[in-house]
Every structure is written in structure tokens, then in C-alpha cells.
Amino acid sequence: MKKVPQYIAGEFAQSQTENWIDVTNPATNEVIAQVPCATTDEMRQAIDNAGEVFKSWKETPISERARVMLRYQALLKEHHDEIAEILSQETGKTFDDAKGDVWRGIEVVEHAANVASMMMGETVENVAREVDTHSWIQPLGVCAGITPFNFPAMIPLWMFPMAIACGNTFILKPSEQDPLTPMRLAELFEEAGAPKGVLQVVHGAKEQVDTLLNDPAIKAISFVGSVPVGRYIYETGTRNMKRVQSFAGAKNHMVIMPDADKQQVLNALVGASVGAAGQRCMAISVAVFVGAAQEWIPELKEAMAKVRPGAWNDSGASYGPVISAKAKERVESLIATGEAQGAKLMLDGRGCTVEGFPDGHWVGPTLFSEVTTEMDIYNEEIFGPVLCCMNADSLGDAIELINNSPYGNGTSIFTNHGGAARRFQHEIEVGQVGVNIPIPVPLPFFSFTGWKGSFYGDQHAYGKQAVRFYTETKTVTSRWFNSEATSSEANFSIQLR
Ligand code: NAD
């Protein structure tokens, strides 16, 4: 059985723990590896070494740090297919989707190579007579990242390239459900010339996360995952006086106006709801049909019925299995609850099978209509290929519905009316908005900006906001005594003259 190594103090080594977790291929339920729960000593070694290496890494010239990222992005591109195949095996994603997961991470690495322009401070000359002020942007120290199962390449790459380019060292604790992809990312990072110890990868679950949350040497925590864990991470990390950014769950609505292009709407809804088996934090899980647009629901059903899950290398499959037997059970039980609470189940994905893969965690495309805000299928993040349809009388009603949701990760509107689109963008209380784009994930020169219950913290992921998150600003005010006019009197006021 393959035992997943850790990457501590620059060595890829096997853990001494007796506590191992199975990693399974969700399409076959076969155990493909075992991942360790790092021991207390291993956690200590990773944190101490990251602290030691920080002393030299922060002194490394910024262009040298940027060049590591340039080499890294080239290596990731060279190994794109290979990483995507590993990712497909442990997540079940189709090969194309797995490639997309890697690609969206590569884009962040490319952006991290521009770090110098994002770390420029400010200068004002003559803030007082012969006194100048400038600011420097400096790294924090040891930062840590805790990542979810659903994007095992993209989300670690949201974090460590930005943090490390800024001059920090970084400890990654990837999801225990798919650790093979992040380990390959770490190997390639070393191959790109990153000095040993700049990145460390430890494995485990709550106990190892708690060590990171409580250790005073860790200055900042980046988390992506579910709502209860996200809240816990934010509360515990900030109580321990750390900087925390915590990206959590979601329930994303797409508003369909009657003047929208019907075929574009149907294509967008099918792809954005069942793609990646609905296991995306930006998946569309609620379609809000305004007025006459609701007449398109039967055609949506037809379009969704044509789609099927399958193995990662099955070119006819639109998406893969859900991640585990437990996840499948949860999704199927929420479908049953939806039906019991009175929603109209138009397409039922329970009991789905895929030929040749009798043990896979398959869920077929599922469509509900007549969903209301009291139902569990509306209030809970299902994280499966399930789309809930609702009706609204007007755009104003649709906006009110979305603004009353506790989540605020992503939303979109499909319309051909500029005024409606403008109003929607302006009034909607959601951090990422698409206009005729169902999944509006920003490129890395912007930041990933979920709101409300989908994000706890201030500075968001990647882009300029990540640089702010992973750095501290130092402001220097200086006077040089060259002038004959320099006063010889003491100044007892706090005012600069
Ligand atoms: P999860 O919360 O179960 O796990 C995330 C990480 O937290 C893992 O590394 C896990 O080991 C660790 N963890 C789990 N339980 C813990 C505990 N009690 N204490 C400390 N650490 C713990 O999430 P998941 O199931 O892996 O990922 C799916 C969730 O992530 C969904 O809710 C999805 O919406 C969310 N997500 C959000 C975003 C975003 O940007 N907002 C992006 C991707 C995924």
C-alpha cells in the first residue's frame, strides 16, 4: 500500500505515526494510498524548521523569490496532464475538469511571479521640513494553510505561492481525502528551486489543525472548507491573535430573466450545477426564474436528463462521482428530505449506477422545482449534482431572496437588459457576480471575494488582497541633518516641523 510522505524540513519522509487514514478512488471505492496523521514531534519539527528558514528566505532578493515562481509555473505546465491524472484518480473528476483545477492554480503562480510590483510601498517627500516618510511591505513569518478536498491543486496554489513569494515560509495541511495531488505540487516546487523548508507539508485532521491554530510561531492561517470548520478556524485563530482568512460554504443563486438567451441559460445551468458533481463552492445550486422564464423548466429537465456521470477517462461523462460513500449518503438523504418537504422532484439522481464501476459513489443529475425558503434543500449546502428551481415575480423579489441568504460566495444573472444587469450588480449582497457568466471566479489579478457566511476575515485569496494578508506594512519617517537651518532647540510637541 502506498504511504503518502510528508515534506518536513526539506525531506520527503514517511511519518512515524501509527495513525493512518485511507485514501480512496471514489469511482471504484478502492483504497489507493494511506495518509498519516502527523505526530506531535513531526508537527514541532515542521513549525520550528519553517521558523528557522524564514530568517534566510525573507532576506532572499525579491527577484530571486519571483524567479522560483517563474520556474514553478513552467514545471506545472510541463506536468499539467500528469498532475491532472493523479487528481482525477483521487477526486474522481473528469480529466478535463482536473486539468481546469490545475490550470486555475497555475494562473496564481504566474501572478505570484509579479510579486515585486505588488510589494511596493509608498513614499512622500517633505512631510515636514527635510523629513520624508516611506513605507515598506514586509513578510509576516510562518504562515499555514488548511485546504478542502474539492480543489486539491487550485486551492493549495491560491495560498503557498503568494505567501512564499512575499517572503514567508508556509506549512500546508491538505485535505486527508486527496493528499496525492498536493504532494506532487510540493515535489515540483522543490524541483523549481525553492529552498528546503520554505514549504512544508504535514498531514492529518483536526488534531494537526489545532496544533497550527494554537502554536504562537504561526502568524497567519488561510483556510478553505465547510462552514462549521471555517467558523471554528476563524474563532480559534483570531482568539490566538493570528491573522485568519477563512473561506467557507455557499449556496449560489442564478437569476434568469425572461429576456435572456434561452439556450445560453440552459447550457449554463446544466454545467454550473452538475459539473464536478456539484462539488464546487461556486456551483449554481439555486436557479431563480423570473416571470415567464419559468416556462423553460421542462426544457431544463430534458437538458439535465441527457447528462451522466462516469469515470475520469470516459469521454462521454460530464462529471465524476462524489468524493465518498458518506457524501453520497448525505446527498441522497437531502434529496429524500426535499421530496418529503414538498418540493417537486423532476429528476431523481438517487440509485445511479455506472457500468463497470459498481462501487463508485455515483449520483445522477437531480432537479427540483417549487422549492421554497423553508426547505432543507434550500438552506443546506448539498454539495452534489442537485439543482433547486424557484420562481420570483420580479427582479426586485429575486434580489431580496438572494440578499436574505446567509451565504454570499457567488451569484449570476442571465439577461439581455443592461439596466437589469446594472441593478443586479449594484444591489446584490454577494462578493462575486456574473453577468451571463454562471461561475464568475475572478482571475488572480483580482481576488476571490466571497461575502457574508461564505467568508470570515478581511483580506481575500490571491491577488493584491493576498499580498496584504501575508504582509505587514512598516512606515519609516526620517530626517537627515544636512541643513544649516536645522534648529538647535528641543521640540516638546508631537508635531513634525
Ligand atoms: P472540511 O471543512 O470538511 O475540511 C476542510 C479542511 O479542514 C480539511 O483539511 C480537513 O482536514 C480540515 N478539518 C475538517 N474538520 C476539522 C475540524 N473539526 N477541525 C479542524 N480542521 C478540520 O471541507 P471539505 O468537505 O474538505 O470541503 C468542502 C467544503 O469546502 C464545502 O463546504 C465548500 O463550499 C467549501 N469550499 C469553499 C470554498 C470557498 O472559496 N469559499 C472553496 C472550496 C470549497
Side-chain angles (χ1 to χ4, degrees):
M1 178 56 58
K2 180 180 169 61
K3 302 262 186 194
V4 183
Q6 302 191 97
Y7 184 38
I8 297 176
E11 302 303 325
F12 288 91
Q14 194 136 325
S15 170
Q16 298 307 306
T17 187
E18 298 194 341
N19 194 357
W20 295 81
I21 301 170
D22 288 344
V23 180
T24 54
N25 175 334
T28 59
N29 206 23
E30 179 198 345
V31 178
I32 51 175
Q34 285 186 319
V35 65
C37 292
T39 64
T40 310
D41 283 354
E42 289 161 356
M43 292 299 294
R44 184 77 268 135
Q45 201 196 349
I47 296 169
D48 288 349
N49 185 256
E52 202 46 43
V53 172
F54 173 65
K55 293 178 193 160
S56 53
W57 182 242
K58 73 180 162 79
E59 301 303 338
T60 303
I62 198 160
S63 335
E64 272 183 47
R65 302 202 306 254
R67 272 181 218 122
V68 171
M69 301 304 156
L70 282 177
R71 286 191 296 271
Y72 191 38
Q73 65 95 20
L75 269 178
L76 290 172
K77 281 180 185 158
E78 205 179 297
H79 292 267
H80 194 167
D81 282 7
E82 177 217 326
I83 304 167
E85 194 169 329
I86 298 170
L87 198 153
S88 289
Q89 302 285 334
E90 60 180 350
T91 62
K93 283 190 187 186
T94 61
F95 188 56
D96 267 2
D97 197 29
K99 282 191 80 168
D101 186 333
V102 180
W103 180 255
R104 301 278 345 222
I106 291 175
E107 289 174 332
V108 179
V109 179
E110 285 175 352
H111 189 67
N114 293 320
V115 67
S117 61
M118 292 183 279
M119 283 187 78
M120 295 205 289
E122 294 172 313
T123 308
V124 173
E125 194 187 30
N126 279 340
V127 293
R129 200 165 294 281
E130 297 188 333
V131 176
D132 308 320
T133 298
H134 68 269
S135 61
W136 279 343
I137 311 295
Q138 298 193 326
L140 298 176
V142 183
C143 302
I146 299 139
T147 52
F149 80 81
N150 67 330
F151 282 100
M154 178 184 83
I155 292 179
L157 292 173
W158 278 5
M159 298 178 182
F160 74 79
M162 293 300 298
I164 289 174
C166 287
N168 301 286
T169 52
F170 198 89
I171 302 177
L172 174 68
K173 203 301 286 173
S175 170
E176 64 279 25
Q177 297 190 83
D178 45 17
L180 299 169
T181 305
M183 286 320 291
R184 189 67 189 120
L185 299 180
E187 286 168 2
L188 293 171
F189 195 54
E190 186 176 279
E191 210 176 311
K196 284 182 181 299
V198 162
L199 173 68
Q200 321 252 346
V201 187
V202 294
H203 296 294
K206 179 172 173 20
E207 190 187 321
Q208 290 66 30
V209 172
D210 282 344
T211 303
L212 297 171
L213 288 174
N214 289 306
D215 196 296
I218 308 281
K219 302 298 176 209
I221 303 264
S222 300
F223 169 84
V224 180
S226 60
V227 170
V229 183
R231 291 182 70 102
Y232 168 74
I233 300 268
Y234 187 74
E235 285 168 2
T236 315
T238 51
R239 195 169 52 245
N240 288 331
M241 312 308 276
K242 296 181 196 312
R243 220 172 255 203
V244 182
Q245 50 173 200
S246 183
F247 298 83
K251 197 82 188 174
N252 307 305
H253 301 66
M254 178 168 134
V255 174
I256 300 106
M257 299 300 288
D259 63 14
D261 180 318
K262 184 174 70 179
Q263 196 52 50
Q264 293 288 356
V265 165
L266 299 180
N267 294 346
L269 277 175
V270 175
S273 61
V274 308
Q279 299 173 119
R280 291 178 178 141
C281 67
M282 289 288 281
I284 292 295
S285 49
V286 183
V288 186
F289 291 87
V290 176
Q294 60 192 277
E295 288 161 20
W296 302 345
I297 295 176
E299 279 175 80
L300 174 62
K301 176 188 166 178
E302 270 173 43
M304 279 182 80
K306 289 188 191 137
V307 166
R308 64 167 179 86
W312 70 279
N313 54 359
D314 170 353
S315 58
S318 302
Y319 63 93
V322 293
I323 190 71
S324 62
K326 199 170 139 206
K328 176 180 157 99
E329 206 181 295
R330 189 178 159 274
V331 174
E332 293 199 335
S333 122
L334 273 161
I335 297 173
T337 310
E339 213 180 5
Q341 292 179 345
K344 185 170 168 194
L345 182 54
M346 300 188 68
L347 206 58
D348 185 355
R350 287 173 296 179
C352 174
T353 55
V354 170
E355 206 184 315
F357 297 88
D359 300 319
H361 313 309
W362 311 107
V363 182
T366 301
L367 183 68
F368 278 109
S369 64
E370 297 171 29
V371 174
T372 62
T373 53
E374 298 78 41
M375 294 175 181
D376 290 359
I377 50 169
Y378 179 73
N379 291 305
E380 291 209 19
E381 183 183 34
I382 302 175
F383 230 50
V386 181
L387 179 62
C388 296
C389 297
M390 301 176 84
N391 302 328
D393 290 338
S394 65
L395 176 60
D397 288 351
I399 292 174
E400 192 182 335
L401 171 81
I402 299 171
N403 287 351
N404 283 335
S405 163
Y407 299 107
N409 222 28
T411 190
S412 73
I413 184 168
F414 272 63
T415 182
N416 274 310
H417 191 292
R422 189 348 171 128
R423 178 179 174 198
F424 185 75
Q425 294 164 55
H426 182 65
E427 292 183 13
I428 209 72
E429 291 163 13
V430 174
Q432 299 170 107
V433 183
V435 176
N436 297 319
I437 307 253
I439 301 191
V441 176
L443 272 101
F445 20 87
F446 291 91
S447 295
F448 188 93
T449 54
W451 279 17
K452 297 198 278 188
S454 297
F455 176 69
Y456 309 105
D458 309 287
Q459 302 292 346
H460 291 88
Y462 59 76
K464 294 184 197 78
Q465 295 202 23
V467 172
R468 279 184 219 124
F469 180 75
Y470 292 124
T471 58
E472 200 75 87
T473 302
K474 183 181 280 175
T475 315
V476 180
T477 300
S478 52
R479 167 185 283 150
W480 294 95
F481 301 104
N482 287 328
S483 165
E484 287 168 10
T486 303
S487 165
S488 56
E489 285 169 30
N491 176 13
F492 296 102
S493 116
I494 57 164
Q495 192 185 342
L496 285 172
R497 279 178 252 188

